[in-house]
Coordinates of all heavy atoms in Angstrom, one line a residue:
M181 N -12.6 22.1 -4.6 CA -12.1 21.8 -3.3 C -11.4 20.4 -3.3 O -12.1 19.4 -3.4 CB -13.2 21.9 -2.2 CG -12.6 21.8 -0.8 SD -14.0 21.9 0.4 CE -14.5 23.6 0.2
P182 N -10.2 20.4 -3.2 CA -9.5 19.1 -3.2 C -9.7 18.3 -2.0 O -9.5 18.7 -0.9 CB -8.0 19.4 -3.4 CG -7.9 20.8 -2.8 CD -9.2 21.5 -2.9
T183 N -10.2 17.1 -2.1 CA -10.5 16.2 -1.0 C -9.4 15.1 -0.9 O -9.3 14.5 0.1 CB -11.9 15.6 -1.0 OG1 -12.0 15.0 -2.3 CG2 -12.9 16.7 -0.9
E184 N -8.8 14.9 -2.1 CA -7.7 13.8 -2.1 C -6.4 14.4 -2.5 O -6.3 14.9 -3.6 CB -8.2 12.7 -3.0 CG -9.3 11.8 -2.5 CD -9.5 10.6 -3.3 OE1 -9.3 10.7 -4.5 OE2 -9.8 9.6 -2.8
E185 N -5.4 14.3 -1.7 CA -4.1 14.7 -2.0 C -3.3 13.5 -2.5 O -3.1 12.6 -1.8 CB -3.4 15.3 -0.8 CG -4.1 16.5 -0.1 CD -3.9 17.8 -0.9 OE1 -3.2 17.7 -2.0 OE2 -4.4 18.8 -0.5
H186 N -3.0 13.6 -3.8 CA -2.2 12.5 -4.3 C -0.7 12.7 -4.0 O -0.2 13.8 -4.2 CB -2.4 12.3 -5.8 CG -3.7 11.6 -6.2 ND1 -4.9 12.1 -5.8 CD2 -3.9 10.4 -6.8 CE1 -5.8 11.2 -6.3 NE2 -5.2 10.2 -6.9
V187 N -0.1 11.6 -3.6 CA 1.4 11.7 -3.4 C 2.1 10.5 -4.0 O 1.5 9.5 -4.3 CB 1.7 11.7 -1.8 CG1 1.1 12.9 -1.2 CG2 1.1 10.4 -1.2
A188 N 3.3 10.7 -4.3 CA 4.2 9.6 -4.9 C 5.2 9.2 -3.8 O 6.1 10.0 -3.5 CB 4.8 10.1 -6.1
L189 N 5.0 8.0 -3.3 CA 5.9 7.5 -2.3 C 6.7 6.3 -2.9 O 6.2 5.6 -3.7 CB 5.2 7.1 -1.0 CG 4.4 8.3 -0.4 CD1 3.8 7.8 1.0 CD2 5.3 9.5 -0.1
E190 N 7.9 6.1 -2.3 CA 8.7 5.0 -2.9 C 8.4 3.7 -2.1 O 8.3 3.6 -0.9 CB 10.2 5.4 -2.6 CG 11.1 4.4 -3.3 CD 12.6 4.8 -3.0 OE1 13.1 4.5 -1.9 OE2 13.2 5.5 -3.9
C191 N 8.2 2.7 -2.9 CA 8.0 1.3 -2.4 C 9.3 0.9 -1.8 O 10.4 0.9 -2.4 CB 7.6 0.4 -3.5 SG 7.6 -1.3 -2.9
P192 N 9.3 0.4 -0.5 CA 10.5 -0.1 0.2 C 11.1 -1.3 -0.4 O 12.2 -1.7 -0.2 CB 10.0 -0.3 1.6 CG 8.6 -0.4 1.6 CD 8.1 0.3 0.4
Y193 N 10.3 -2.0 -1.2 CA 10.8 -3.3 -1.8 C 11.4 -3.1 -3.2 O 12.6 -3.4 -3.4 CB 9.6 -4.3 -1.9 CG 8.9 -4.6 -0.6 CD1 7.6 -4.2 -0.4 CD2 9.7 -5.2 0.4 CE1 7.0 -4.5 0.8 CE2 9.1 -5.5 1.6 CZ 7.7 -5.1 1.8 OH 7.1 -5.4 3.1
C194 N 10.6 -2.5 -4.1 CA 11.1 -2.4 -5.5 C 11.6 -1.0 -5.8 O 12.1 -0.8 -6.9 CB 10.0 -2.8 -6.5 SG 8.6 -1.7 -6.5
R195 N 11.5 -0.1 -4.9 CA 11.9 1.3 -5.1 C 11.1 2.0 -6.2 O 11.5 3.0 -6.7 CB 13.4 1.4 -5.4 CG 14.3 0.8 -4.4 CD 14.3 1.7 -3.1 NE 15.0 1.0 -2.0 CZ 14.9 1.4 -0.8 NH1 14.2 2.4 -0.4 NH2 15.6 0.8 0.2
G196 N 10.0 1.4 -6.5 CA 9.1 2.0 -7.5 C 8.3 3.1 -6.9 O 8.1 3.1 -5.7
E197 N 7.8 4.0 -7.7 CA 7.0 5.1 -7.2 C 5.5 4.7 -7.2 O 5.0 4.2 -8.2 CB 7.2 6.3 -8.2 CG 6.7 7.6 -7.6 CD 7.0 8.7 -8.5 OE1 6.3 8.9 -9.5 OE2 8.0 9.5 -8.3
I198 N 4.9 4.9 -6.0 CA 3.5 4.5 -5.9 C 2.8 5.9 -5.8 O 2.9 6.6 -4.8 CB 3.3 3.7 -4.6 CG1 4.2 2.5 -4.5 CG2 1.8 3.3 -4.5 CD1 4.1 1.8 -3.2
Y199 N 2.0 6.2 -6.8 CA 1.2 7.4 -6.8 C -0.2 7.2 -6.5 O -1.0 6.6 -7.3 CB 1.4 8.0 -8.2 CG 0.8 9.4 -8.3 CD1 1.4 10.5 -7.6 CD2 -0.3 9.7 -9.1 CE1 0.9 11.8 -7.7 CE2 -0.9 11.0 -9.2 CZ -0.3 12.0 -8.5 OH -0.8 13.3 -8.6
R200 N -0.6 7.5 -5.3 CA -1.9 7.3 -4.8 C -2.4 8.4 -3.9 O -1.6 9.2 -3.4 CB -1.9 6.0 -4.0 CG -1.8 4.7 -4.8 CD -3.1 4.3 -5.5 NE -3.0 3.1 -6.2 CZ -2.5 2.8 -7.4 NH1 -1.9 3.8 -8.0 NH2 -2.5 1.6 -7.9
P201 N -3.7 8.5 -3.6 CA -4.2 9.4 -2.6 C -3.5 9.2 -1.3 O -3.2 8.0 -0.9 CB -5.7 9.2 -2.5 CG -6.0 8.5 -3.8 CD -4.8 7.7 -4.2
L202 N -3.3 10.3 -0.6 CA -2.6 10.1 0.7 C -3.2 9.1 1.6 O -2.6 8.3 2.3 CB -2.5 11.5 1.4 CG -1.6 11.7 2.6 CD1 -0.2 11.4 2.2 CD2 -1.7 13.1 3.1
K203 N -4.6 9.1 1.6 CA -5.3 8.2 2.5 C -5.1 6.8 2.2 O -5.3 5.9 3.0 CB -6.8 8.6 2.6 CG -7.5 8.3 1.3 CD -9.0 8.8 1.5 CE -9.8 8.5 0.2 NZ -11.1 9.1 0.4
W204 N -4.7 6.5 0.9 CA -4.5 5.1 0.5 C -3.3 4.5 1.3 O -3.3 3.3 1.6 CB -4.1 5.1 -1.0 CG -4.1 3.8 -1.7 CD1 -5.2 3.1 -2.1 CD2 -3.0 3.0 -2.0 NE1 -4.8 1.9 -2.7 CE2 -3.4 1.8 -2.6 CE3 -1.6 3.2 -1.8 CZ2 -2.6 0.8 -3.0 CZ3 -0.7 2.2 -2.2 CH2 -1.2 1.0 -2.8
F205 N -2.4 5.4 1.7 CA -1.2 4.9 2.4 C -1.5 4.6 3.9 O -0.7 4.3 4.7 CB -0.1 5.8 2.3 CG 0.5 5.9 0.9 CD1 0.0 6.9 0.0 CD2 1.4 5.0 0.4 CE1 0.5 7.0 -1.3 CE2 1.9 5.1 -0.9 CZ 1.4 6.1 -1.8
K206 N -2.8 5.0 4.3 CA -3.1 4.8 5.7 C -3.9 3.5 5.9 O -4.4 3.2 7.0 CB -4.0 6.0 6.1 CG -3.3 7.3 6.2 CD -4.3 8.3 6.6 CE -3.7 9.7 6.7 NZ -4.7 10.7 7.3
Q207 N -4.0 2.7 4.9 CA -4.7 1.4 5.0 C -3.9 0.5 5.9 O -2.7 0.5 5.9 CB -4.9 0.8 3.6 CG -5.8 1.6 2.7 CD -5.8 1.0 1.3 OE1 -6.7 0.3 1.0 NE2 -4.8 1.2 0.5
A208 N -4.6 -0.4 6.6 CA -4.0 -1.3 7.5 C -3.0 -2.2 6.7 O -1.9 -2.6 7.1 CB -5.0 -2.1 8.2
Y209 N -3.5 -2.6 5.5 CA -2.7 -3.5 4.6 C -3.0 -3.2 3.2 O -4.2 -3.0 2.8 CB -3.0 -4.9 4.9 CG -2.1 -5.9 4.1 CD1 -0.8 -6.1 4.4 CD2 -2.7 -6.5 2.9 CE1 0.0 -7.0 3.6 CE2 -1.9 -7.3 2.1 CZ -0.6 -7.5 2.5 OH 0.2 -8.3 1.7
F210 N -2.0 -3.1 2.4 CA -2.2 -2.9 0.9 C -1.0 -3.4 0.2 O 0.0 -3.8 0.9 CB -2.4 -1.4 0.6 CG -1.5 -0.4 1.2 CD1 -0.4 0.1 0.5 CD2 -1.6 0.0 2.6 CE1 0.5 1.0 1.0 CE2 -0.7 0.9 3.1 CZ 0.4 1.4 2.4
T211 N -1.0 -3.5 -1.1 CA 0.1 -4.0 -1.8 C 0.6 -3.0 -2.8 O -0.1 -2.2 -3.4 CB -0.3 -5.3 -2.5 OG1 -1.4 -5.1 -3.4 CG2 -0.7 -6.4 -1.6
C212 N 1.9 -3.1 -3.1 CA 2.5 -2.2 -4.1 C 2.0 -2.6 -5.5 O 2.0 -3.8 -5.8 CB 4.0 -2.4 -4.0 SG 4.9 -1.6 -5.4
P213 N 1.5 -1.6 -6.2 CA 1.0 -1.9 -7.6 C 2.1 -2.4 -8.5 O 1.7 -3.1 -9.5 CB 0.4 -0.6 -8.0 CG 0.9 0.4 -7.1 CD 1.4 -0.2 -5.9
A214 N 3.3 -2.2 -8.2 CA 4.4 -2.6 -9.1 C 4.9 -4.0 -8.8 O 5.0 -4.8 -9.7 CB 5.5 -1.6 -9.0
C215 N 5.2 -4.2 -7.6 CA 5.8 -5.5 -7.2 C 4.9 -6.4 -6.4 O 5.3 -7.6 -6.1 CB 7.1 -5.3 -6.5 SG 6.9 -4.7 -4.8
D216 N 3.7 -5.9 -6.0 CA 2.8 -6.7 -5.2 C 3.3 -7.0 -3.8 O 2.8 -7.9 -3.1 CB 2.5 -8.0 -5.9 CG 1.0 -8.2 -6.1 OD1 0.3 -7.2 -6.0 OD2 0.6 -9.4 -6.3
G217 N 4.3 -6.3 -3.4 CA 4.8 -6.4 -2.0 C 3.8 -6.0 -1.0 O 3.1 -5.0 -1.2
G218 N 3.7 -6.7 0.1 CA 2.8 -6.3 1.1 C 3.3 -5.1 1.9 O 4.4 -5.0 2.4
L219 N 2.4 -4.1 2.1 CA 2.7 -2.9 2.8 C 1.7 -2.6 3.9 O 0.6 -3.0 3.8 CB 2.8 -1.7 1.8 CG 3.7 -1.8 0.6 CD1 3.4 -0.8 -0.4 CD2 5.2 -1.7 1.1
T220 N 2.1 -1.9 4.9 CA 1.2 -1.5 6.0 C 1.3 0.0 6.2 O 2.4 0.6 5.9 CB 1.5 -2.2 7.3 OG1 2.7 -1.8 7.8 CG2 1.5 -3.7 7.1
A221 N 0.3 0.6 6.8 CA 0.3 2.0 7.1 C 1.5 2.4 8.0 O 2.1 3.5 7.9 CB -1.0 2.4 7.8
D222 N 1.9 1.4 8.9 CA 3.0 1.7 9.8 C 4.3 2.1 9.0 O 5.1 2.9 9.4 CB 3.3 0.5 10.6 CG 2.3 0.3 11.7 OD1 1.5 1.2 11.9 OD2 2.3 -0.8 12.3
Q223 N 4.5 1.5 7.8 CA 5.7 1.8 7.0 C 5.7 3.2 6.5 O 6.7 3.7 6.1 CB 5.8 0.8 5.9 CG 6.1 -0.6 6.4 CD 6.0 -1.7 5.3 OE1 5.0 -2.2 5.0 NE2 7.1 -2.0 4.6
F224 N 4.5 3.8 6.4 CA 4.5 5.2 5.8 C 4.0 6.2 6.8 O 3.8 7.4 6.5 CB 3.5 5.1 4.6 CG 4.0 4.3 3.5 CD1 3.6 3.0 3.4 CD2 4.9 4.8 2.6 CE1 4.1 2.2 2.3 CE2 5.4 4.0 1.5 CZ 5.0 2.7 1.4
T225 N 3.8 5.8 8.1 CA 3.3 6.8 9.1 C 4.1 8.1 9.1 O 3.5 9.2 9.1 CB 3.3 6.1 10.5 OG1 2.4 5.0 10.4 CG2 2.7 7.1 11.5
A226 N 5.4 8.0 9.2 CA 6.2 9.2 9.4 C 6.1 10.1 8.1 O 5.9 11.3 8.3 CB 7.7 8.8 9.6
I227 N 6.2 9.5 7.0 CA 6.2 10.4 5.8 C 4.8 10.9 5.5 O 4.7 12.1 5.1 CB 6.7 9.6 4.5 CG1 6.8 10.4 3.3 CG2 5.9 8.3 4.2 CD1 8.1 11.2 3.2
V228 N 3.8 10.1 5.8 CA 2.4 10.6 5.6 C 2.2 11.7 6.6 O 1.5 12.7 6.2 CB 1.4 9.4 5.8 CG1 0.0 10.0 5.9 CG2 1.5 8.5 4.6
G229 N 2.6 11.6 7.8 CA 2.5 12.7 8.8 C 3.1 14.0 8.3 O 2.5 15.1 8.4
D230 N 4.4 13.8 7.8 CA 5.1 15.0 7.3 C 4.3 15.7 6.1 O 4.2 16.9 6.0 CB 6.5 14.6 6.8 CG 7.4 14.3 7.9 OD1 7.0 14.7 9.1 OD2 8.5 13.8 7.7
L231 N 3.8 14.8 5.2 CA 3.1 15.3 4.1 C 1.8 16.0 4.4 O 1.5 17.1 3.9 CB 2.8 14.2 3.1 CG 4.0 13.7 2.3 CD1 3.7 12.4 1.6 CD2 4.5 14.7 1.3
E232 N 1.1 15.5 5.4 CA -0.1 16.1 5.8 C 0.1 17.4 6.5 O -0.6 18.4 6.2 CB -0.8 15.2 6.9 CG -1.5 14.0 6.2 CD -2.4 13.2 7.2 OE1 -1.9 13.1 8.4 OE2 -3.5 12.8 6.8
Q233 N 1.2 17.5 7.2 CA 1.6 18.8 7.8 C 1.9 19.8 6.8 O 1.5 21.0 6.8 CB 2.7 18.6 8.8 CG 3.0 19.8 9.7 CD 4.0 19.5 10.8 OE1 4.6 18.4 10.8 NE2 4.3 20.5 11.6
A234 N 2.7 19.3 5.8 CA 3.1 20.2 4.7 C 1.9 20.8 3.9 O 1.8 21.9 3.6 CB 4.0 19.5 3.7
F235 N 0.9 19.9 3.7 CA -0.3 20.3 3.0 C -1.0 21.4 3.8 O -1.5 22.4 3.2 CB -1.2 19.1 2.7 CG -0.8 18.2 1.6 CD1 -0.8 16.8 1.8 CD2 -0.3 18.7 0.4 CE1 -0.4 16.0 0.7 CE2 0.1 17.9 -0.6 CZ 0.0 16.5 -0.5
E236 N -1.1 21.1 5.1 CA -1.9 22.1 5.9 C -1.2 23.4 5.9 O -1.8 24.5 5.9 CB -2.0 21.5 7.4 CG -3.1 20.5 7.5 CD -3.0 19.8 8.9 OE1 -2.4 20.4 9.8 OE2 -3.6 18.7 9.0
E237 N 0.2 23.4 6.0 CA 0.9 24.7 6.0 C 0.7 25.4 4.7 O 0.6 26.6 4.6 CB 2.4 24.4 6.3 CG 2.6 24.1 7.7 CD 4.0 23.6 8.0 OE1 4.8 23.6 7.1 OE2 4.3 23.2 9.1
T238 N 0.7 24.6 3.6 CA 0.5 25.2 2.3 C -0.8 25.9 2.2 O -1.0 27.0 1.7 CB 0.6 24.1 1.2 OG1 1.9 23.5 1.3 CG2 0.5 24.8 -0.2
I239 N -1.8 25.2 2.7 CA -3.2 25.8 2.7 C -3.3 27.0 3.5 O -3.8 28.0 3.1 CB -4.2 24.7 3.1 CG1 -4.3 23.6 2.1 CG2 -5.6 25.4 3.4 CD1 -5.0 22.4 2.6
D240 N -2.6 27.0 4.7 CA -2.6 28.1 5.6 C -2.0 29.3 4.9 O -2.5 30.5 4.9 CB -1.8 27.8 6.9 CG -2.6 27.0 7.8 OD1 -3.8 26.8 7.6 OD2 -2.0 26.5 8.8
E241 N -0.9 29.1 4.2 CA -0.2 30.2 3.5 C -1.1 30.8 2.4 O -1.1 32.0 2.2 CB 1.1 29.6 2.8 CG 2.3 29.6 3.9 CD 3.5 28.9 3.2 OE1 3.7 29.0 2.0 OE2 4.3 28.3 4.0
M242 N -1.8 29.9 1.7 CA -2.6 30.4 0.6 C -3.8 31.2 1.2 O -4.1 32.2 0.6 CB -3.2 29.2 -0.2 CG -2.1 28.6 -1.1 SD -2.8 27.5 -2.3 CE -3.5 26.2 -1.3
M243 N -4.3 30.8 2.3 CA -5.3 31.6 2.9 C -4.9 32.9 3.4 O -5.6 33.9 3.3 CB -5.9 30.8 4.1 CG -6.5 29.5 3.8 SD -8.0 29.5 2.8 CE -9.2 29.6 4.1
Q244 N -3.6 33.0 3.9 CA -3.1 34.2 4.5 C -2.6 35.2 3.5 O -2.8 36.4 3.6 CB -2.0 33.9 5.5 CG -2.4 33.2 6.8 CD -1.3 32.6 7.6 OE1 -0.1 32.9 7.3 NE2 -1.6 31.8 8.5
D245 N -2.0 34.7 2.5 CA -1.3 35.5 1.5 C -1.6 35.1 0.1 O -1.0 34.1 -0.4 CB 0.2 35.5 1.8 CG 1.0 36.4 0.8 OD1 0.4 37.4 0.4 OD2 2.1 36.0 0.4
I246 N -2.5 35.8 -0.5 CA -2.9 35.4 -1.9 C -1.9 36.2 -2.8 O -2.0 37.4 -2.8 CB -4.3 35.7 -2.2 CG1 -5.2 34.9 -1.3 CG2 -4.6 35.5 -3.7 CD1 -6.7 35.3 -1.3
P247 N -1.1 35.5 -3.6 CA -0.1 36.2 -4.4 C -0.8 36.8 -5.6 O -1.9 36.4 -6.0 CB 0.9 35.1 -4.8 CG 0.0 33.9 -4.8 CD -1.0 34.1 -3.7
G248 N -0.1 37.9 -6.2 CA -0.7 38.5 -7.4 C -0.7 37.6 -8.5 O -1.8 37.1 -8.9
C249 N 0.4 37.3 -9.1 CA 0.4 36.4 -10.2 C 1.8 35.7 -10.3 O 2.5 35.8 -11.3 CB 0.0 37.1 -11.5 SG -0.3 35.9 -12.9
G250 N 2.1 35.0 -9.3 CA 3.4 34.3 -9.4 C 3.2 32.9 -9.9 O 4.1 32.0 -9.9
C251 N 2.0 32.6 -10.4 CA 1.7 31.3 -10.9 C 2.0 31.1 -12.4 O 2.5 32.1 -13.0 CB 0.3 30.9 -10.6 SG -0.9 31.9 -11.5
N252 N 1.7 30.0 -12.9 CA 1.9 29.8 -14.3 C 0.7 29.9 -15.1 O 0.4 29.2 -16.1 CB 2.6 28.4 -14.6 CG 1.7 27.3 -14.1 OD1 0.7 27.5 -13.4 ND2 2.0 26.1 -14.4
C253 N -0.2 30.8 -14.7 CA -1.5 31.0 -15.4 C -1.2 31.4 -16.9 O -0.3 32.2 -17.1 CB -2.4 32.0 -14.7 SG -1.7 33.6 -14.6
G254 N -2.0 30.9 -17.7 CA -1.8 31.3 -19.2 C -0.8 30.4 -19.8 O -0.8 30.2 -21.1
G255 N 0.1 29.7 -19.1 CA 1.0 28.8 -19.7 C 0.5 27.4 -19.7 O -0.5 27.1 -19.0
N256 N 1.0 26.6 -20.5 CA 0.6 25.2 -20.5 C 1.2 24.4 -19.4 O 2.4 24.4 -19.2 CB 1.0 24.5 -21.8 CG 0.3 25.1 -23.0 OD1 -0.9 25.4 -22.9 ND2 0.9 25.2 -24.1
K257 N 0.3 23.8 -18.6 CA 0.8 23.0 -17.5 C 1.4 21.7 -17.9 O 0.7 20.9 -18.6 CB -0.4 22.8 -16.5 CG 0.0 22.1 -15.2 CD -1.2 22.0 -14.4 CE -1.0 21.1 -13.2 NZ 0.0 21.5 -12.2
T258 N 2.6 21.5 -17.6 CA 3.3 20.3 -17.9 C 3.0 19.2 -16.9 O 3.0 19.6 -15.7 CB 4.8 20.4 -18.1 OG1 5.3 21.0 -16.9 CG2 5.1 21.3 -19.2
T259 N 2.6 18.1 -17.3 CA 2.3 17.0 -16.3 C 3.3 16.0 -16.3 O 3.0 14.8 -15.9 CB 0.9 16.4 -16.7 OG1 1.0 16.0 -18.0 CG2 -0.2 17.4 -16.6
D260 N 4.5 16.3 -16.5 CA 5.6 15.3 -16.5 C 6.0 15.1 -15.1 O 6.7 16.0 -14.5 CB 6.7 15.7 -17.4 CG 7.8 14.6 -17.5 OD1 7.5 13.5 -17.1 OD2 8.8 14.9 -18.0
Ligands
ZN1155 ZN1 7.0 -2.3 -5.0

């Protein structure tokens, strides 16, 4: 059961990708791991809200409609 949804969001300062659990972006204050720029939850509220809604919809779909085998089972999962 996944409790942490990792997301990659763009840093508004260095345009670097910040890959962290969704809740990490809800902190009152945090810094970009790439450029050390100061960030706040306010800067990510909109995108985090969208992502949370998307996750919920995805879970709802999975609960309602379990597909036969449209997945990549048996194949090697690429992590690129
Ligand atoms: Zn940055």
Side-chain angles (χ1 to χ4, degrees):
M181 188 181 291
T183 52
E184 286 189 326
E185 302 282 3
H186 278 62
V187 295
L189 301 184
E190 188 181 81
C191 170
Y193 301 116
C194 68
R195 301 290 172 194
E197 195 176 78
I198 309 172
Y199 187 69
R200 286 286 187 278
L202 192 59
K203 66 181 179 187
W204 191 81
F205 294 95
K206 294 181 178 182
Q207 298 174 97
Y209 180 82
F210 49 100
T211 56
C212 170
C215 71
D216 235 19
L219 302 165
T220 68
D222 285 349
Q223 289 171 276
F224 294 96
T225 299
I227 185 85
V228 166
D230 285 350
L231 288 167
E232 283 188 320
Q233 193 174 359
F235 284 137
E236 281 172 20
E237 285 171 5
T238 302
I239 291 166
D240 284 348
E241 280 175 25
M242 286 194 295
M243 299 291 272
Q244 288 167 14
D245 179 34
I246 298 168
C249 191
C251 65
N252 62 348
C253 63
N256 290 323
K257 184 176 167 65
T258 54
T259 54
D260 188 10

